[in-house]
Amino acid sequence: MPPFHAGRMLKRWRYIGVYGPELMVCVGLARIGPTLQGFWALWDREAGRLLERTRPGRGGVRFGRGTARVDTRDVGIDLEWVEEPGVEVVTPDGPGYAWTRKQGGVLVRGSVRAGGALRELAGRGVVDDSAGYHARRTAWRWSAGVGTAGDGRPVAWNLVTGVHDDPRASERTVWLDGEPREVGPAHFADDLSEVAAEGGLLRFAAEATRERHDDLLLVRSDYVQPFGTFTGSLPHAGELAAGYGVMERHTVLW
């Protein structure tokens, strides 16, 4: 994808979130035109401690094929997973277009270093690869998570409104035992306390929140992403026995 198309600048990012009962971790790298921003967060549910950082440039973040690493003086994150084909969607956006690929429920292994302690990590997560020539003003709400269905099968989900949200051929997906299935339009509560889709209803209990409000003249961003737990039901998967993940609300001028 070239740097410009139809008068719009290319925006692209890669994000991985690993969600579980002890630790939740996310690592991301975003590029808007020539500018680069790296970010990471670690929510230690046992200690009740949130560590996070967002920096211009890489900020210690490196991605490879099936790897994500953070190396700073205080925190180290080392994640590995097997890349899967994922669910890909291309959506028209005015004179531009946007692409995304989501991998749900991928098995992630690695380690986390924080507070002088090194901890092994093994869990499931969601990988988001996105790029596009989005409208100058773009807003979305998003939820990604993993868990266990009532019958014991692993489940993961990616629900969104605002981007790639056509009634059909959307990025909205539930993975049940590794098999992806598209679901209908999603409806988010204003306070991100729940999201409904196709007869399913997930209720969300926020525990720790990443939040940024940036005004960089040409780029403005209002961003809220809480980590937490989910109860309720999902299309195709039914009632959850356990659910962990994030909600997100993002409005951006770029």
Side-chain angles (χ1 to χ4, degrees):
M1 299 171 73
F4 288 90
H5 172 76
R8 293 180 176 181
M9 193 163 49
L10 178 65
K11 302 96 176 177
R12 55 190 173 99
W13 60 90
R14 174 161 247 212
Y15 166 100
I16 181 169
V18 186
Y19 318 116
E22 298 177 359
L23 293 173
M24 300 198 201
V25 178
C26 73
V27 180
L29 198 60
R31 186 182 294 275
I32 302 174
T35 65
L36 188 65
Q37 186 180 74
F39 61 89
W40 55 265
L42 166 62
W43 168 229
D44 187 334
R45 300 187 71 229
E46 293 183 325
R49 178 178 61 175
L50 175 67
L51 301 173
E52 63 167 319
R53 186 169 298 167
T54 301
R55 290 288 186 271
R58 291 191 172 274
V61 174
R62 298 278 176 181
F63 277 98
R65 181 168 179 79
T67 65
R69 291 185 171 86
V70 175
D71 186 12
T72 72
R73 184 178 62 182
D74 302 320
V75 171
I77 300 171
D78 192 340
L79 307 176
E80 295 187 0
W81 66 96
V82 176
E83 298 274 8
E84 300 177 355
V87 173
E88 290 191 73
V89 177
V90 177
T91 304
D93 190 332
Y97 66 93
W99 164 87
T100 192
R101 180 183 69 162
K102 300 295 195 296
Q103 301 174 62
V106 295
L107 180 61
V108 184
R109 298 188 181 277
S111 62
V112 173
R113 170 180 54 83
L118 183 66
R119 300 171 63 177
E120 296 299 312
L121 183 150
R124 295 190 177 272
V126 174
V127 181
D128 173 8
D129 292 294
S130 294
Y133 309 97
H134 303 81
R136 181 80 170 110
R137 296 178 184 273
T138 307
W140 65 79
R141 297 184 183 190
W142 178 64
S143 177
V146 302
T148 306
D151 61 6
R153 288 183 289 177
V155 63
W157 66 89
N158 175 83
L159 301 174
V160 71
T161 183
V163 292
H164 300 294
D165 63 354
D166 286 355
R168 291 289 180 266
S170 74
E171 69 170 68
R172 297 180 306 270
T173 307
V174 168
W175 290 263
L176 181 60
D177 208 9
E179 291 297 319
R181 300 185 185 184
E182 185 181 13
V183 301
H187 305 278
F188 288 76
D190 290 341
D191 61 0
L192 301 182
S193 62
E194 60 183 37
V195 55
E198 210 172 275
L201 176 65
L202 287 181
R203 294 176 292 275
F204 179 66
E207 296 179 340
T209 301
R210 299 177 56 232
E211 184 171 355
R212 287 184 64 88
H213 306 281
D214 295 322
D215 187 348
L216 305 176
L217 298 180
L218 293 178
V219 177
R220 299 175 188 170
S221 175
D222 288 297
Y223 176 87
V224 175
Q225 189 192 76
F227 293 99
T229 60
F230 291 84
T231 58
S233 62
L234 279 167
H236 309 299
E239 290 291 323
L240 286 181
Y244 308 93
V246 294
M247 290 284 227
E248 179 178 289
R249 181 176 62 243
H250 197 176
T251 301
V252 62
L253 178 71
W254 51 9

